[in-house]
Amino acid sequence: MLDEHLHRAWEAGGEMSTDYRRGRRRAARLPSWRLVRYADDFVVLVDGTRQDTEALHEEFARVLARTSGTSTPKRTFSRLGRTSADPLGPGAPATT
């Protein structure tokens, strides 16, 4: 259900479905996001402010709550700017 919720904006006619629409969102200082899946985990990349990120996190938590899903606080985090993040956590095997 979260996948469907996140991808809705990227589908044809959605608010982020074309470069033009995403450009209009940026010009209006609205956030955009992209879902990256890895097995049963996911990362949501957000182009926006910390407040945008926190608002999206709350929205996603509400969607998960409707499906009896939860996010794990220990593994839920945000990074600003171009800071790298290790979504699998420390000690995860390195890939090349």
Side-chain angles (χ1 to χ4, degrees):
M1 181 163 191
L2 182 62
D3 289 77
E4 293 166 357
H5 180 79
L6 287 169
H7 287 292
R8 192 170 297 128
W10 290 88
E11 292 175 353
E15 59 191 306
M16 290 191 285
S17 60
T18 65
D19 288 339
Y20 175 75
R21 289 179 183 218
R22 288 188 300 277
R24 286 187 57 184
R25 287 184 61 81
R26 278 191 296 278
R29 298 187 181 275
L30 295 172
S32 61
W33 63 89
R34 185 61 108 162
L35 174 72
V36 178
R37 301 274 288 144
Y38 182 82
D40 63 341
D41 291 325
F42 64 91
V43 175
V44 179
L45 305 172
V46 179
D47 181 11
T49 66
R50 178 176 287 283
Q51 291 81 12
D52 295 330
T53 303
E54 290 169 357
L56 286 169
H57 182 263
E58 290 172 11
E59 178 184 340
F60 303 155
R62 284 192 302 272
V63 172
L64 283 172
R66 283 186 273 167
T67 63
S68 300
T70 59
S71 60
T72 307
K74 180 179 173 186
R75 294 186 57 187
T76 301
F77 56 89
S78 62
R79 300 284 187 269
L80 293 175
R82 301 203 182 274
T83 305
S84 65
D86 182 1
L88 298 178
T95 59
T96 56

